[in-house]
Amino acid sequence: VLLRMHSVGICGSDVHYWQHGRIGDFVVKDPMVLGHEASGRVVKVGSEVTHLKPGDRVAIEPGVPREMDEFCKTGRYNLSPTIFFCATPPDDGNLCRYYKHSASYCYKLPDNVTFEEGALIEPLSVGIHACKRAGVTLGSKVFVSGSGPIGLVNVIVAKMMGAAAVVVTDLSASRLQKAKEVGADFTVQVKNETPQEVASKVEGVLGCMPDITVECTGVQACIQAGIYATRSGGTLVLVGLGPEMVTVPIVNAAVREVDIRGIFRYCNTWPVAIALLASKRINVKPLVTHRFPLEKALEAFETTKRGEGVKVMLKCDPTDQSP
């Protein structure tokens, strides 16, 4: 389908590519369009597309498998080594006026779900995938490390999935305030405590060690705190990406049977997210704190780089006034 783009969120990875030209093995070698948190309106459809028509409002899933490999066959297409992914070199993203995408990875938005909410499905999907991998369920006690956009969506999803208590840590008081707004039960502002001290504070406010820790910073000390904090037999999910090599108390985790799981993006989350947004069971609107027209993209990127607000949203189509 050909889309007229409407709302595109800026992600930390977009800023990282802009500033450093690489993330791990993904290196920018040629000019590349950024943007992968997006929604838009269908302008044209291919001859074999039946579920969409011009005028439809859609949310875009940025990862599209190029071949039906073993990972696709088992439903874990996010792990396919040849996957196309918006704004991961050398694949162009969708921060532009018009964009072409696989129709199977464009999801029609119900009338009561806005373009902005549609664009927020991408970060929300990270929370859905992480909380599923973590096994969050009724009564879970959850520790979310980091209160940036990804930490916040994990708070929202964990509460939605039945977590009885969620505690969030961060350096920033304003970000912790935002965590409270979206449903965190407890917050701990970290200053210069050791990882063990952070773990102890988390246990103190929760009244017990958390069953599940979702680490959203990628910072070595935070991963260490995540291991120390998680109760024996519990699960630590690593969402944040930091340096390739980190030193962690792996023996502590091993002898206490703390399961450490990774996540890579997400899979099969868009239908779930749309259903939750349409039923008003979750509210992601407070995440958007800044809006810029596409012409002011540089200003928008600089705002994100400075860490102001939470989610910065770019508006690509000034003529489309629908929500």
Side-chain angles (χ1 to χ4, degrees):
V1 294
L2 178 67
L3 302 155
R4 171 83 171 174
M5 300 307 296
H6 188 286
S7 296
V8 181
I10 299 177
C11 170
S13 70
D14 292 320
V15 175
H16 201 87
Y17 280 126
W18 168 51
Q19 289 292 301
H20 304 284
R22 69 178 299 157
I23 294 177
D25 295 335
F26 298 108
V27 183
V28 180
K29 292 175 179 164
D30 298 298
M32 181 182 80
V33 179
L34 292 168
H36 59 269
E37 305 178 0
S39 62
R41 195 181 285 278
V42 176
V43 179
K44 274 185 178 171
V45 298
S47 57
E48 293 178 23
V49 176
T50 54
H51 71 291
L52 295 172
K53 63 185 186 305
D56 283 348
R57 299 159 60 251
V58 298
I60 300 164
E61 179 172 0
V64 180
R66 287 186 168 97
E67 57 183 316
M68 179 55 73
D69 60 18
E70 59 185 307
F71 298 106
C72 293
K73 287 175 186 173
T74 56
R76 300 181 75 176
Y77 56 87
N78 56 313
L79 301 178
S80 176
T82 58
I83 195 167
F84 166 91
F85 198 88
C86 293
T88 295
D91 304 331
D92 281 324
N94 43 34
L95 181 50
C96 46
R97 299 265 185 235
Y98 289 93
Y99 174 72
K100 184 171 98 264
H101 201 68
S102 164
S104 300
Y105 293 81
C106 294
Y107 301 82
K108 191 172 174 180
L109 292 172
D111 292 342
N112 69 339
V113 178
T114 68
F115 276 120
E116 246 177 37
E117 288 175 303
L120 288 166
I121 291 174
E122 197 279 343
L124 182 60
S125 288
V126 178
I128 294 170
H129 191 55
C131 287
K132 277 186 172 178
R133 292 266 297 152
V136 178
T137 188
L138 288 172
S140 297
K141 304 282 177 64
V142 180
F143 165 28
V144 175
S145 170
S147 190
I150 296 302
L152 296 175
V153 293
N154 273 285
V155 172
I156 292 168
V157 175
K159 293 295 282 188
M160 176 67 225
M161 287 172 73
V166 177
V167 56
V168 184
T169 55
D170 202 277
L171 297 167
S172 159
S174 60
R175 289 204 156 181
L176 290 173
Q177 184 52 43
K178 197 58 140 174
K180 280 271 197 199
E181 271 176 55
V182 301
D185 299 281
F186 308 102
T187 59
V188 174
Q189 188 174 1
V190 179
K191 293 187 170 69
N192 47 16
E193 294 90 341
T194 65
Q196 288 96 328
E197 285 167 345
V198 171
S200 174
K201 284 194 169 184
V202 166
E203 182 179 2
V205 295
L206 267 184
C208 61
M209 294 173 84
D211 315 293
I212 288 159
T213 298
V214 185
E215 208 301 297
C216 302
T217 72
V219 174
Q220 177 170 287
C222 298
I223 299 171
Q224 293 170 353
I227 288 176
Y228 291 129
T230 309
R231 77 170 176 86
S232 298
T235 304
L236 166 65
V237 175
L238 302 176
V239 183
L241 297 176
E244 187 182 353
M245 289 291 178
V246 290
T247 304
V248 292
I250 200 77
V251 175
N252 177 289
V255 298
R256 296 193 303 109
E257 297 192 4
V258 171
D259 293 346
I260 300 175
R261 297 187 153 202
I263 71 155
F264 187 61
R265 298 170 180 159
Y266 33 66
C267 57
N268 308 301
T269 55
W270 259 253
V272 175
I274 289 170
L276 290 172
L277 290 166
S279 63
K280 303 298 174 197
R281 295 296 303 279
I282 60 170
N283 179 18
V284 293
K285 288 176 181 173
L287 297 178
V288 181
T289 53
H290 294 71
R291 295 169 181 85
F292 292 89
L294 186 58
E295 295 76 13
K296 293 190 175 173
L298 186 59
E299 200 179 317
F301 269 78
E302 282 166 348
T303 302
T304 308
K305 185 188 163 195
R306 287 193 300 268
E308 290 175 26
V310 181
K311 181 55 67 179
V312 177
M313 195 67 70
L314 280 151
K315 301 296 181 180
C316 301
D317 186 358
T319 63
D320 196 334
Q321 294 305 310
S322 29

